[in-house]
Amino acid sequence: MLLCFLVIPVEGLAAPEVKSVQANFVQEKHMAILARPLLSRGRFLFQAPASLRWEYFTPLHSILLMDDGKIRKFVKTKDEFVEERSMGLSAMQMVLQEITGWLDGNITDTPTFLAKRVAERKIILTPRKPALSKIISQVELQLLDDSGLMKSVTLYEGEDSFTRMVFSDAVVNRKIAKSSFKGP
Amino acid sequence: MKILCVFVLCLLVSCSVRQVQTKPELTGGASGAESRSICKQSFIQGNWQFTHSINFEMAAGHGTTLVGITVLEEGKLKTALLGVEGFVFFEAEQKSDKQIVVRRALAPFDKPGFAEALLQDVQTLFVAPVTIAMLLAKNTNDDRVCRYVTDTSHTLDVLLSGHGWHQINEYDRQDTITRSVHGSDYTEIEGQYIAQEIELKVFGSLGYTLDLQLLTAEKIP
């Protein structure tokens, strides 16, 4: 779910030097058991080389921070943020490492995913290892336009379950305060 | 001095025994059609989809927050546990014949017995029990109580309020409490009262506490 905010180099165009990216997103969770998708809203901040703030505002306020090689997670409980030592952080670390690799423009050769451009603005990522493919079967990146900005990311967990994030109001290379990555 | 020590020891033992909650006596029980209707109506009616944030704390003190999905649909119970980011850790369904189908279970939710325990918790919260005996009575605090006896000789006491149930206590064959649920901060949604906050406690050495906060509640066709 955190794969998503990249500026993807597009063939024929000079790849912009990405120092920072920030955008809003709406996340839809689709599952066979759901009568209606679950909707979440949030915003992310990314500062090269590897600082990230991934924040959900609704329905549950939570923040994932990556900075100085550390990943921390906070969830708002009864009006205050509580840091969690939950499972899944190792999976997050793996995903975030992929992100930094993509910023170098190396989409096709990550250690974890094989990338294939299936249409002008659509890239499919599939896990290299069978163990991961049982958890994430495929990632679909949809580009906004020739600028390389991302329109959406869809992460498939199986036939009936996927998470789609649609981005908006993206801003590239605007200064972001370092404190944004230090705490809630 | 020796007598004093024995006395203190007896006092401590009796205190520890009293701390184990046991099934209370009830008075004035009725089991007719009207009583059964009152008790059945105290649980949510119809098809619903709920999401809750679940703060999950083990007896050892470790905790995490997940998003829980519960779907009540035509006698079936469907449940899933997701990370806050939407990643599915667990998904299962209990069919109307009580058969459980686990569709996805990642560690640590793949442990034996987890699916059954989770669905039991969900059932306790949302579904009126199917039992061999039921009684509507009052406890010593003058609360109305629907007492159910299950086919496994467990007892479920459902304490009623104007919003349906506000407390559910489950007792084992020895009449010792095994599970308690407390609902609070009720909101009316689509004609039914839904608790905004639920605390579920499972007692024992492998006990745990779940704090549920309602995120969404939708009636589904």
Side-chain angles (χ1 to χ4, degrees), chain B residues 87-122:
Chain B
F87 190 68
V88 180
F89 289 107
F90 179 87
E91 182 185 349
E93 176 179 343
Q94 180 175 288
K95 302 192 174 188
S96 44
D97 62 0
K98 306 302 177 193
Q99 182 193 6
I100 295 174
V101 177
V102 178
R103 300 193 192 285
R104 183 176 173 106
L106 303 179
F109 306 108
D110 57 348
K111 290 189 167 38
F114 176 80
E116 291 77 10
L118 177 65
L119 282 158
Q120 178 63 50
D121 286 343
V122 175

Side-chain angles (χ1 to χ4, degrees), chain A residues 114-132:
Chain A
L114 292 170
K116 183 178 180 182
R117 190 179 292 267
V118 298
E120 187 182 344
R121 293 179 190 154
K122 185 186 279 190
I123 300 167
I124 301 291
L125 304 163
T126 51
R128 288 177 181 269
K129 295 180 181 174
L132 181 59

Side-chain angles (χ1 to χ4, degrees), chain A residues 1 27 29 31 33-36 38 56 59-60 62 73 75 84 86-87 92 134-135 157 161 163, chain B residues 49 51 53 64-65 69 71 78 80 82 84-89 91 104 108-109 213 215 218-220:
Chain A
M1 288 66 81
Q27 178 176 298
K29 182 68 192 178
M31 294 173 68
I33 70 168
L34 290 171
R36 298 189 182 92
L38 300 182
Y56 289 90
L60 185 62
S62 73
K73 186 174 174 181
V75 178
E84 294 202 342
S86 61
M87 79 288 288
M92 293 295 184
K134 291 178 185 175
I135 301 173
E157 291 173 274
S161 175
T163 304
Chain B
Q49 176 174 305
T51 59
S53 70
T64 191
T65 301
I69 297 173
V71 177
K78 302 173 189 175
L82 283 63
V84 174
E85 296 78 19
F87 190 68
V88 180
F89 289 107
E91 182 185 349
R104 183 176 173 106
F109 306 108
Q213 299 272 331
L215 298 175
E218 296 178 84
K219 202 162 187 342
I220 54 180

Side-chain angles (χ1 to χ4, degrees), chain A residues 131-171:
Chain A
L132 181 59
S133 65
K134 291 178 185 175
I135 301 173
I136 301 173
S137 58
Q138 179 175 290
V139 181
E140 183 181 294
L141 309 180
Q142 184 72 44
L143 305 184
L144 180 64
D145 52 32
D146 291 339
S147 68
L149 283 174
M150 196 75 62
K151 178 182 178 181
S152 70
V153 170
T154 305
L155 192 149
Y156 293 90
E157 291 173 274
E159 286 180 9
D160 302 326
S161 175
F162 65 90
T163 304
R164 174 166 292 133
M165 295 207 273
V166 180
F167 302 96
S168 62
D169 307 315
V171 177

Side-chain angles (χ1 to χ4, degrees), chain B residues 123-142:
Chain B
Q123 190 163 294
T124 299
L125 293 174
F126 296 109
V127 181
V130 176
T131 61
I132 59 174
M134 194 283 302
L135 194 69
L136 175 62
K138 286 195 175 182
N139 63 15
T140 53
N141 293 327
D142 212 33

Side-chain angles (χ1 to χ4, degrees), chain A residues 105-121:
Chain A
N106 192 20
I107 300 170
T108 58
D109 295 324
T110 73
T112 312
F113 290 99
L114 292 170
K116 183 178 180 182
R117 190 179 292 267
V118 298
E120 187 182 344
R121 293 179 190 154

